[in-house]
Amino acid sequence: MTATRTFAFVLYPGLTPLDFVGPLQVLGALQEFGLGFEAVTVAADLEPLHTDIAVSVTASHTFAQVPEPFGLIVPGGGAPTFAALADEHLLGYVRRAAGTAELVGSVCTGSLVLGAAGLLEGREAVTHWAAMPMLRAFGATPVSRRWVADGPVRTAAGVAAGIDMALQLVAELVGEDACRMIQSAIEYDPRPPLGPIDWSGLDREPMESWLRSQVQQGLAADPELRARLLAP
Amino acid sequence: MTATRTFAFVLYPGLTPLDFVGPLQVLGALQEFGLGFEAVTVAADLEPLHTDIAVSVTASHTFAQVPEPFGLIVPGGGAPTFAALADEHLLGYVRRAAGTAELVGSVCTGSLVLGAAGLLEGREAVTHWAAMPMLRAFGATPVSRRWVADGPVRTAAGVAAGIDMALQLVAELVGEDACRMIQSAIEYDPRPPLGPIDWSGLDREPMESWLRSQVQQGLAADPELRARLLAP
């Protein structure tokens, strides 16, 4: 009998659903391979949580029900994710679960939650491009890549990058055939209508300015952390 | 004052969340542009719906609350989507809403729901690659593209293709700058770790066989429709 290896996606109010739904769809498909992998969602309780789009999501398990996942993945978002940086109940679960997990991951600004939990100190990491300097507030070195692996810690860039990171995990944990099979099952054969992001032509200011407003809003009650994140 | 143009994503039990969360994240961002666009989710009621992964989703509105959306988009899935092909309450809403909508869309096997509602007769359409022949059961001509536009009907290929179709809609409805802005906000700059899908090397049989089993399961009570979908 194979021991169960559980990926737990950490949910909290106000998050960006695409951050976790993409990788959950990928890692959830591992269940079919009979290798003992499963992917669940965990939250403080099993009530529906509002999100940053017009849908609510309900976790499959409470934090207490999944104390020692094999892999822990924290999705991100705007103001509510910054509020989560000061949520000791959430951070307590992330810290305890990370203590025994073999993989600790994040998508988008979820990496800042790992940072606030003290898990990025001295590590290389990535987050949404507009939040990159904020990683330094937690002792991390920002590295601009689609995903970054440093020891057990895997951080993915903004939102959609979680899909790429999850497929990479499948390739490493199970193999390239499994990765290709899941990629074709979700027909992940991207064709952005205007092509890839034109990084050199991108006007970064509007998104960076919006993100600063999200920090102000999410951390209104925590001037110290707010100042650290917004330090130039 | 700008009239509100509402995109309504149709939710039902057992669907594949990535089918609608990707495009909802894209079209939901249109709200920021002050042009009167909004994106909501609609379902028979506001109870949490299980999905094909370990998370439940709750719609923001009931069918009755959004009788005349500007755009209607139906996501897909496995057996539960085939069951939805015989759900007269769901099909009734889709038919009525499509009657006044300017855009009628689908992602993945959601196109078969449009077909069952009689909306694909004589039209070109796409669906998940493994379900392509099933479109003929509803009088549609299968066309292998990332998304297909035929009159007011937009169908996207499997799961992740919904993101590409939604970005294309933004480019058409608002403009290429808006499309680029939303693409960068969700950092949709895909890097599938093993590259794009290798269509010529793909072993299609396992997924096609799995999908046939989903038809059997979802339409166990409807032998006539089941036979039409599985006709060679």
Side-chain angles (χ1 to χ4, degrees):
Chain A
M1 222 191 94
T2 319
T4 302
R5 289 179 283 185
T6 305
F7 286 98
F9 288 81
V10 178
L11 306 192
Y12 53 90
L15 51 61
T16 298
L18 186 50
D19 282 20
F20 80 89
V21 166
L24 177 56
Q25 208 85 54
V26 169
L27 295 173
L30 277 181
Q31 207 147 342
E32 307 297 320
F33 290 81
L35 297 167
F37 285 105
E38 64 167 9
V40 303
T41 48
V42 294
D45 58 45
L46 302 184
E47 294 301 310
L49 302 166
H50 68 96
T51 69
D52 72 353
I53 49 177
V55 71
S56 296
V57 295
T58 305
S60 62
H61 295 75
T62 62
F63 292 153
Q65 287 172 327
V66 189
E68 300 192 346
F70 166 81
L72 183 76
I73 301 183
V74 183
T81 302
F82 293 109
L85 303 185
D87 176 343
E88 282 305 325
H89 184 58
L90 180 87
L91 295 180
Y93 174 72
V94 168
R95 254 182 231 116
R96 283 190 306 277
T100 51
E102 291 193 30
L103 277 164
V104 179
S106 64
V107 179
C108 197
T109 49
S111 56
L112 302 175
V113 176
L114 297 186
L119 301 167
L120 294 186
E121 191 68 45
R123 294 199 184 275
E124 297 192 329
V126 66
T127 184
H128 191 285
W129 57 265
M132 287 292 276
M134 298 183 194
L135 284 168
R136 296 196 193 280
F138 304 113
T141 304
V143 177
S144 284
R145 277 204 295 269
R146 195 66 176 157
W147 69 83
V148 172
D150 186 338
V153 179
R154 303 289 177 112
T155 50
V159 194
I163 300 174
D164 295 326
M165 182 179 75
L167 285 169
Q168 170 66 22
L169 281 174
V170 169
E172 290 176 34
L173 291 168
V174 181
E176 297 198 346
D177 282 354
C179 178
R180 286 198 186 87
M181 204 173 295
I182 293 174
Q183 181 180 359
S184 72
I186 62 163
E187 208 160 337
Y188 184 57
D189 199 33
R191 298 268 199 294
L194 305 178
I197 294 176
D198 171 16
W199 291 104
S200 63
L202 181 64
D203 177 11
R204 291 166 186 253
E205 221 293 308
M207 184 80 198
E208 287 171 351
S209 153
W210 178 82
L211 207 67
R212 283 192 298 271
S213 77
Q214 299 298 294
V215 173
Q216 299 283 4
Q217 205 177 306
L219 288 169
D222 195 328
E224 190 273 326
L225 182 51
R226 198 174 68 214
R228 271 164 63 204
L229 285 173
L230 296 177
Chain B
M1 220 191 93
T2 319
T4 302
R5 287 180 284 184
T6 305
F7 285 98
F9 288 82
V10 179
L11 307 192
Y12 53 90
L15 50 62
T16 298
L18 186 51
D19 282 20
F20 79 90
V21 166
L24 177 56
Q25 208 86 54
V26 169
L27 296 173
L30 277 181
Q31 205 147 342
E32 308 297 320
F33 290 81
L35 298 167
F37 285 105
E38 64 167 8
V40 303
T41 48
V42 294
D45 59 46
L46 301 183
E47 293 301 310
L49 302 165
H50 68 96
T51 69
D52 71 354
I53 48 176
V55 71
S56 295
V57 296
T58 305
S60 61
H61 295 75
T62 62
F63 293 152
Q65 288 171 326
V66 190
E68 299 192 347
F70 166 81
L72 183 77
I73 302 181
V74 183
T81 303
F82 293 109
L85 303 184
D87 176 343
E88 282 306 324
H89 183 58
L90 180 86
L91 295 180
Y93 174 73
V94 169
R95 254 183 230 116
R96 283 190 307 276
T100 50
E102 291 193 29
L103 277 165
V104 179
S106 64
V107 179
C108 198
T109 49
S111 56
L112 302 175
V113 176
L114 298 186
L119 301 167
L120 294 186
E121 192 67 45
R123 295 201 183 274
E124 296 192 331
V126 66
T127 185
H128 191 286
W129 57 264
M132 287 292 276
M134 298 183 193
L135 284 167
R136 297 196 191 278
F138 304 113
T141 305
V143 177
S144 284
R145 277 204 295 267
R146 194 66 176 159
W147 68 85
V148 171
D150 186 338
V153 178
R154 303 288 176 114
T155 49
V159 195
I163 301 174
D164 295 326
M165 182 179 74
L167 285 169
Q168 170 67 22
L169 281 174
V170 169
E172 290 176 35
L173 292 168
V174 182
E176 296 200 347
D177 282 353
C179 177
R180 286 198 187 88
M181 204 173 295
I182 294 174
Q183 181 179 359
S184 72
I186 63 163
E187 209 161 337
Y188 185 56
D189 199 35
R191 299 268 198 292
L194 305 178
I197 295 175
D198 170 16
W199 291 104
S200 64
L202 180 65
D203 176 11
R204 292 167 185 252
E205 220 294 307
M207 184 80 197
E208 288 170 352
S209 153
W210 177 83
L211 207 68
R212 283 192 298 273
S213 77
Q214 298 298 295
V215 173
Q216 299 282 2
Q217 206 178 306
L219 288 169
D222 194 330
E224 189 275 325
L225 181 51
R226 198 174 67 215
R228 269 163 65 206
L229 285 173
L230 296 176

